[in-house]
Structure formats: C-alpha cells, structure tokens
Amino acid sequence: MSKFLVFGHQNPDTDAIASSYGWAYLERTAFGRDAEAVALGTPNEETAFALNYFGVEAPRVVESAKAEGVSQVILTDHNEFQQSISDIRDVEVAAVIDHHRVANFETANPLYMRLEPVGSASSIVYRAAKENSVELPKEVAGLLLSGLISDTLLLKSPTTHESDPQVAKELAEIAGVNLEEYGLELLKAGTNLASKSAAELIDIDAKTFELNGNNVRVAQVNTVDINDVLNRQEEIEAAISEAIVSEGYSDFVLMITDILNSNSEILALGSNMDKVEAAFNFKLDSNHAFLAGAVSRKKQVVPQLTESFNA
C-alpha cells in the first residue's frame, strides 16, 4: 500500500498544521491508509504553543514529495499550487481538504475534494471524523480546536461560519479546555513579535496570489498593539523591498491585525499601489493606511485585491 503525505501550505499557520495532522489521523483510523502529516515549514509560535499544550511533536518539515519516495499527496488548508510543496506538479494530488477559493488548480486524475466555506480546514476535518464515527483523542481535538480558533480569531472573524461555534464547543469539551481561556492564551502566544527580525516578521503568515498576471504577496501578523509593529516600519519596509526583488513579487501587502479590537493597518509596497488603494477605498500615507474592522485576509483583503487587480 502506497504512503500518502498530508500537508498544509507553505509558511504553515496553526490551521495548516492542525488540519493535516487531523486528516492524517482520519486516513489511518477511518480509511485504513498509510498517511503521515508533514509540514512545509517550521511551526510559528502560536502553533508551537498548541503543539506543546497538547503534547504533540511537530510534524517533520519536508521540501520535496518525490524525495520522500511518495507519489500521492493530500492537501489541507490550501489548493493553489504556488502555495504548496515545490514539486507538487510531479506527484498525484489524491485529495484536497480546504476552505479557501479554488485557483490555479488542475489534476490529471479524479480526486477527492472537500471544499466548504467554513472558518477553518480543521472544522471540516472534525465533521468528517463525526461522519465516520471516529472518536478523536484529546490531542487531535485540541489541535483542531486550535486551528479553528486561530483562523477565526476566537470566532470573531467574519469568516466564522454559523456551524463553527458548535464545532468549537464540542472540540473544547473533547480537549478538556475552556474555550475562551484557552483561545486567548493561544492567540496571545502568536503576538510575540519583538524577538523576530523584520524578514521573519513578514514571513510568519504569508501567501502568494496570482492576480491578473501579478504575483502579489499578502502577509498577516497579529498583535495587541499595532503601533508596536509600525514603530519598526523602516526595517520592515527594507525587508519587504528585498523580498520583492529576490522573490519576484509585483506587490507586497502586510496586514497588521489588532486581535483585541478587531482592526488592521495595511502596509503596502510595490508597483500597483493604485490598485491596492482602489481595493480598500483608502489612500496610503507613508505606505500604510487603517482598515477598520478587517481581521480576515481570506474574506476582507484577498477578494478585494482580486477584484481591483482584475478591473
């Protein structure tokens, strides 16, 4: 029986790690397949907190599927090939478990796809477990809960689906934690930015989107004080400019999100700033502008950029 590698996107966030870990568990227990959860990058501090809290070893970091001797992979929390493993076009995608838009995606063979407009890929994994009568261990439930909390900012993001609060309640019960207390601990663990270099900061949670022929990098950092990040603007802009040149991005958009007050500051550099300004109907002042009520890259930033770049 061939082995499957299960992984989330590059620069994995908590949902990417949690959903791949949970789906690999489901593959082994419900479907009887040999599946291993791996990662396309080192877990960030928020994810490390969740892994440590529930006593789970971080998944192995891999760079090539073929180098691992596998021919089939399963993608969670993403489907766009530029966000996936380096040799994604050289292996068969057997399944996709995701809650994002579908773009730049094509396969040679039929596959299992489960795409739902819910708050996290972890939410989908949990429902699949229930459908298959799989009782999740505490640590698996805890990681899935962490993925849901992370992606919805403790159910406050507009990406939160009406079914997510019940999913969170059930997962918290299985994991043996208080939802609100654990959720705040988890989110605050991801706001320790002072120890990170500017280059590390802009790469904590970043994805590249192909928008009308432009490679647009959209990154997000969470904080309890936006000014703490803006005080480092000069070095952050230098890191962004270097990334634009070295990686070939046309534009770089950084969301600095206040998790306590649910607002963001947008810091942007690149060759299409007119399109960035049009996307959010604001004017950049010293390369940044306030975006009230914005906490979700998926729902409040990427769709607006997509429409503006395609106009």
Coordinates of all heavy atoms in Angstrom, one line a residue, residues 21-69:
Y21 N -2.6 17.3 10.4 CA -2.4 16.3 11.5 C -3.7 15.5 11.7 O -3.7 14.3 11.8 CB -2.0 17.0 12.8 CG -1.6 16.0 13.9 CD1 -0.3 15.5 14.0 CD2 -2.6 15.6 14.9 CE1 0.0 14.7 15.1 CE2 -2.2 14.8 15.9 CZ -0.9 14.3 16.0 OH -0.6 13.4 17.0
G22 N -4.8 16.2 11.7 CA -6.1 15.6 11.9 C -6.6 14.7 10.8 O -7.1 13.6 11.0
W23 N -6.3 15.2 9.6 CA -6.7 14.4 8.4 C -5.9 13.1 8.3 O -6.4 12.1 7.9 CB -6.7 15.2 7.1 CG -7.4 14.5 6.0 CD1 -6.9 13.7 5.1 CD2 -8.8 14.5 5.8 NE1 -7.9 13.1 4.3 CE2 -9.1 13.6 4.7 CE3 -9.9 15.1 6.4 CZ2 -10.4 13.4 4.2 CZ3 -11.2 14.8 6.0 CH2 -11.4 14.0 4.9
A24 N -4.6 13.2 8.6 CA -3.7 12.0 8.5 C -4.2 11.0 9.5 O -4.2 9.8 9.3 CB -2.3 12.4 8.8
Y25 N -4.6 11.5 10.7 CA -5.2 10.6 11.7 C -6.5 9.9 11.2 O -6.7 8.7 11.4 CB -5.5 11.4 13.0 CG -6.1 10.5 14.1 CD1 -5.3 9.8 15.0 CD2 -7.5 10.4 14.3 CE1 -5.8 9.0 15.9 CE2 -8.0 9.6 15.3 CZ -7.2 8.9 16.1 OH -7.7 8.1 17.1
L26 N -7.3 10.7 10.5 CA -8.5 10.1 9.9 C -8.2 9.1 8.8 O -8.9 8.1 8.8 CB -9.4 11.3 9.4 CG -10.9 11.0 9.1 CD1 -11.6 10.6 10.3 CD2 -11.5 12.3 8.5
E27 N -7.2 9.4 8.0 CA -6.9 8.5 7.0 C -6.5 7.1 7.6 O -6.8 6.1 7.0 CB -5.7 9.1 6.1 CG -6.1 10.2 5.2 CD -6.8 9.7 3.9 OE1 -6.6 8.5 3.6 OE2 -7.5 10.5 3.3
R28 N -5.7 7.2 8.6 CA -5.2 5.9 9.2 C -6.3 5.2 10.0 O -6.4 3.9 9.8 CB -4.1 6.2 10.2 CG -2.8 6.8 9.6 CD -1.7 6.8 10.5 NE -1.9 7.6 11.7 CZ -1.7 8.9 11.8 NH1 -1.1 9.6 10.8 NH2 -1.9 9.6 12.9
T29 N -7.2 5.9 10.7 CA -8.1 5.2 11.6 C -9.4 4.9 10.9 O -10.0 3.8 11.1 CB -8.5 6.1 12.8 OG1 -8.9 7.4 12.4 CG2 -7.2 6.2 13.7
A30 N -9.9 5.8 10.0 CA -11.2 5.5 9.3 C -11.1 4.8 8.0 O -11.9 4.0 7.6 CB -11.9 6.9 9.2
F31 N -10.0 5.1 7.3 CA -9.9 4.6 5.9 C -8.8 3.6 5.7 O -8.6 3.0 4.7 CB -9.6 5.8 4.9 CG -10.6 7.0 5.1 CD1 -10.1 8.3 5.1 CD2 -11.9 6.7 5.3 CE1 -11.0 9.3 5.3 CE2 -12.8 7.8 5.5 CZ -12.3 9.1 5.5
G32 N -8.0 3.4 6.8 CA -7.0 2.3 6.8 C -5.8 2.5 5.8 O -5.2 1.6 5.3
R33 N -5.5 3.8 5.6 CA -4.4 4.1 4.7 C -3.2 4.7 5.4 O -3.4 5.2 6.5 CB -4.9 5.2 3.6 CG -5.9 4.6 2.7 CD -6.1 5.5 1.5 NE -7.1 6.6 1.8 CZ -8.4 6.6 1.5 NH1 -8.9 5.5 0.9 NH2 -9.1 7.6 1.8
D34 N -2.1 4.4 4.9 CA -0.8 4.9 5.5 C -0.6 6.3 5.2 O -0.3 6.7 4.0 CB 0.4 4.0 4.9 CG 1.7 4.4 5.6 OD1 1.7 5.1 6.6 OD2 2.7 3.9 5.1
A35 N -0.8 7.2 6.1 CA -0.7 8.6 5.9 C 0.1 9.3 7.0 O -0.1 9.0 8.2 CB -2.1 9.2 5.9
E36 N 1.0 10.2 6.6 CA 1.8 10.9 7.6 C 1.6 12.4 7.4 O 1.7 12.9 6.3 CB 3.3 10.6 7.4 CG 4.2 11.4 8.4 CD 5.7 11.2 8.1 OE1 6.0 10.6 7.1 OE2 6.5 11.8 8.8
A37 N 1.3 13.1 8.5 CA 1.3 14.6 8.4 C 2.7 15.1 8.5 O 3.4 14.8 9.3 CB 0.4 15.1 9.6
V38 N 3.0 16.0 7.5 CA 4.3 16.7 7.5 C 4.0 18.2 7.3 O 2.8 18.6 7.2 CB 5.2 16.2 6.3 CG1 5.5 14.7 6.5 CG2 4.5 16.3 5.0
A39 N 5.0 19.0 7.3 CA 4.8 20.4 7.2 C 5.8 21.0 6.2 O 6.9 20.5 5.9 CB 5.1 21.1 8.6
L40 N 5.3 22.1 5.6 CA 6.2 22.8 4.6 C 6.8 24.0 5.2 O 7.0 25.0 4.5 CB 5.3 23.2 3.4 CG 4.5 22.1 2.7 CD1 3.8 22.6 1.4 CD2 5.4 20.9 2.4
G41 N 7.2 23.9 6.4 CA 7.9 25.0 7.1 C 7.8 24.7 8.6 O 7.0 23.9 9.1
T42 N 8.6 25.4 9.4 CA 8.6 25.3 10.8 C 7.4 26.0 11.4 O 7.0 27.1 11.1 CB 9.9 26.0 11.4 OG1 11.0 25.4 10.8 CG2 10.0 25.8 12.9
P43 N 6.7 25.3 12.4 CA 5.6 25.9 13.0 C 5.9 27.3 13.7 O 7.0 27.5 14.3 CB 5.2 24.9 14.1 CG 5.7 23.6 13.6 CD 7.0 24.0 12.9
N44 N 4.9 28.2 13.6 CA 5.1 29.5 14.2 C 4.9 29.4 15.7 O 4.6 28.3 16.2 CB 4.2 30.6 13.6 CG 2.8 30.3 13.7 OD1 2.3 29.7 14.7 ND2 2.0 30.6 12.7
E45 N 5.1 30.5 16.5 CA 5.0 30.5 17.9 C 3.6 30.1 18.4 O 3.4 29.4 19.4 CB 5.4 31.8 18.5 CG 6.9 32.0 18.4 CD 7.4 33.3 19.1 OE1 6.5 34.1 19.6 OE2 8.6 33.5 19.1
E46 N 2.6 30.6 17.7 CA 1.2 30.2 18.1 C 1.0 28.7 18.0 O 0.5 28.0 18.9 CB 0.2 30.9 17.2 CG -1.2 30.6 17.5 CD -2.2 31.2 16.5 OE1 -2.5 30.4 15.5 OE2 -2.7 32.3 16.7
T47 N 1.4 28.1 16.8 CA 1.3 26.7 16.6 C 2.1 25.9 17.6 O 1.7 24.8 18.1 CB 1.7 26.4 15.2 OG1 1.0 27.2 14.2 CG2 1.3 24.9 14.8
A48 N 3.3 26.4 17.8 CA 4.2 25.7 18.8 C 3.5 25.6 20.2 O 3.7 24.6 20.9 CB 5.5 26.4 18.9
F49 N 2.8 26.7 20.5 CA 2.1 26.7 21.8 C 1.1 25.6 21.9 O 1.0 24.9 22.8 CB 1.4 28.1 22.0 CG 0.6 28.1 23.2 CD1 1.1 28.5 24.5 CD2 -0.8 27.9 23.2 CE1 0.3 28.6 25.6 CE2 -1.6 27.9 24.3 CZ -1.1 28.3 25.5
A50 N 0.3 25.5 20.8 CA -0.7 24.4 20.7 C -0.1 23.0 20.8 O -0.6 22.2 21.5 CB -1.6 24.6 19.5
L51 N 0.9 22.8 20.0 CA 1.6 21.5 20.0 C 2.1 21.2 21.4 O 1.9 20.0 21.8 CB 2.7 21.5 19.0 CG 2.3 21.6 17.5 CD1 3.6 21.9 16.6 CD2 1.7 20.3 17.0
N52 N 2.7 22.1 22.0 CA 3.3 21.9 23.3 C 2.2 21.6 24.4 O 2.3 20.8 25.2 CB 4.2 23.0 23.8 CG 4.8 22.8 25.1 OD1 5.6 21.9 25.3 ND2 4.4 23.7 26.1
Y53 N 1.1 22.4 24.3 CA 0.0 22.3 25.2 C -0.6 20.9 25.2 O -1.0 20.4 26.2 CB -1.1 23.4 24.9 CG -2.1 23.6 25.9 CD1 -2.0 24.6 26.8 CD2 -3.2 22.7 26.0 CE1 -3.0 24.8 27.8 CE2 -4.2 22.9 27.0 CZ -4.1 23.9 27.9 OH -5.1 24.1 28.8
F54 N -0.8 20.4 24.0 CA -1.4 19.1 23.9 C -0.4 17.9 23.7 O -0.8 16.8 23.4 CB -2.4 19.1 22.7 CG -3.6 20.0 23.0 CD1 -3.7 21.2 22.4 CD2 -4.6 19.6 23.9 CE1 -4.8 22.1 22.6 CE2 -5.7 20.4 24.2 CZ -5.8 21.7 23.5
G55 N 0.9 18.2 23.9 CA 1.9 17.1 23.9 C 2.1 16.5 22.6 O 2.3 15.2 22.5
V56 N 2.0 17.2 21.5 CA 2.2 16.7 20.2 C 3.5 17.1 19.6 O 3.8 18.3 19.6 CB 1.0 17.1 19.2 CG1 1.2 16.6 17.8 CG2 -0.3 16.6 19.8
E57 N 4.2 16.2 19.0 CA 5.5 16.5 18.4 C 5.2 17.2 17.1 O 4.4 16.8 16.3 CB 6.3 15.2 18.1 CG 7.7 15.5 17.6 CD 8.5 14.2 17.4 OE1 8.1 13.2 18.0 OE2 9.6 14.3 16.8
A58 N 6.0 18.2 16.8 CA 5.8 19.0 15.5 C 6.0 18.0 14.3 O 7.0 17.2 14.3 CB 6.7 20.1 15.4
P59 N 5.2 18.1 13.3 CA 5.4 17.3 12.1 C 6.8 17.6 11.4 O 7.3 18.7 11.5 CB 4.3 17.7 11.1 CG 3.3 18.4 12.0 CD 4.0 19.0 13.2
R60 N 7.3 16.6 10.8 CA 8.6 16.8 10.0 C 8.4 17.8 9.0 O 7.4 17.9 8.3 CB 9.0 15.5 9.4 CG 9.4 14.3 10.2 CD 10.0 13.2 9.4 NE 9.1 12.7 8.4 CZ 9.4 12.7 7.1 NH1 10.5 13.2 6.6 NH2 8.6 12.2 6.2
V61 N 9.4 18.6 8.8 CA 9.4 19.6 7.7 C 10.0 18.9 6.4 O 11.1 18.3 6.5 CB 10.3 20.8 8.1 CG1 10.3 21.8 6.9 CG2 9.6 21.5 9.3
V62 N 9.3 19.0 5.3 CA 9.8 18.4 4.1 C 9.8 19.5 3.0 O 9.1 20.4 3.1 CB 8.9 17.2 3.6 CG1 8.9 16.1 4.7 CG2 7.5 17.7 3.3
E63 N 10.6 19.2 2.0 CA 10.8 20.2 0.9 C 10.4 19.6 -0.4 O 10.0 20.3 -1.4 CB 12.2 20.7 0.8 CG 12.6 21.5 2.1 CD 14.0 22.0 1.9 OE1 14.7 21.7 0.9 OE2 14.5 22.8 2.8
S64 N 10.4 18.3 -0.5 CA 10.1 17.6 -1.8 C 9.3 16.3 -1.5 O 9.7 15.5 -0.7 CB 11.4 17.3 -2.6 OG 11.1 16.4 -3.6
A65 N 8.2 16.1 -2.2 CA 7.5 14.9 -2.0 C 8.2 13.7 -2.7 O 8.2 12.6 -2.1 CB 6.1 15.0 -2.7
K66 N 8.7 13.9 -3.9 CA 9.4 12.8 -4.6 C 10.7 12.4 -3.8 O 11.0 11.2 -3.7 CB 9.9 13.3 -6.0 CG 8.7 13.7 -6.9 CD 7.9 12.5 -7.3 CE 8.6 11.7 -8.4 NZ 7.8 10.7 -9.0
A67 N 11.3 13.3 -3.1 CA 12.5 13.0 -2.3 C 12.1 12.1 -1.1 O 12.9 11.3 -0.6 CB 13.2 14.2 -1.8
E68 N 10.8 12.1 -0.7 CA 10.3 11.3 0.4 C 9.8 9.9 -0.2 O 9.4 9.1 0.6 CB 9.1 12.0 1.1 CG 9.5 13.3 1.8 CD 10.4 13.0 3.0 OE1 10.1 12.0 3.7 OE2 11.3 13.8 3.3
G69 N 9.9 9.7 -1.5 CA 9.6 8.4 -2.0 C 8.1 8.2 -2.2 O 7.6 7.0 -2.3

